[in-house]
């Protein structure tokens, strides 16, 4: 029952952070998801001892924050124009 609860909580956190757009929001979301995953792996690897759980959470949170901040959403074109050869090109992007 405990494993089902932890899995459901992790999925709920991941789903709630799926719409984050700014680098700071992505870093915070990555830290939360990475910390939860790291704590779960640390607890499983150390047999439930607090030291392993805390170490896994710290490493997972740090890694999640770095990866979350480094990722960027796909850029969307705000304005289209034409190049010298008549090809349609994006001349301005939305700022997120």
């Amino acid at each position: 029952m405990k494993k089902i609860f932890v899995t459901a909580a992790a999925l709920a956190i991941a789903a709630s952070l799926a719409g984050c757009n700014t680098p700071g929001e992505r870093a915070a979301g990555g830290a939360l998801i990475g910390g939860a995953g790291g704590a779960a792996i640390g607890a499983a690897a150390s047999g439930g001892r607090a030291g392993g759980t805390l170490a896994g959470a710290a490493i997972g949170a740090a890694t999640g924050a770095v990866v979350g901040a480094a990722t960027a959403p796909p850029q969307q074109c705000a304005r289209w124009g034409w190049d010298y050869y008549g090809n349609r090109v994006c001349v301005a992007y939305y700022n997120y």
Side-chain angles (χ1 to χ4, degrees):
M1 185 68 177
K2 184 177 178 181
K3 289 181 184 180
I4 293 172
F5 177 73
V6 170
T7 304
L11 288 174
I13 291 171
S16 68
L17 298 173
C20 298
N21 289 326
T22 66
E25 290 173 341
R26 287 191 306 271
L32 287 174
I33 294 169
I41 293 171
S46 69
R49 290 192 304 256
T53 303
L54 292 175
I59 293 169
T63 304
V66 169
V67 171
T71 60
Q75 290 185 337
Q76 295 182 354
C77 189
R79 190 170 45 138
W80 293 94
W82 305 95
D83 68 1
Y84 179 77
Y85 300 103
N87 299 317
R88 188 174 179 205
V89 295
C90 185
V91 295
Y93 293 97
Y94 289 110
N95 292 330
Y96 290 109

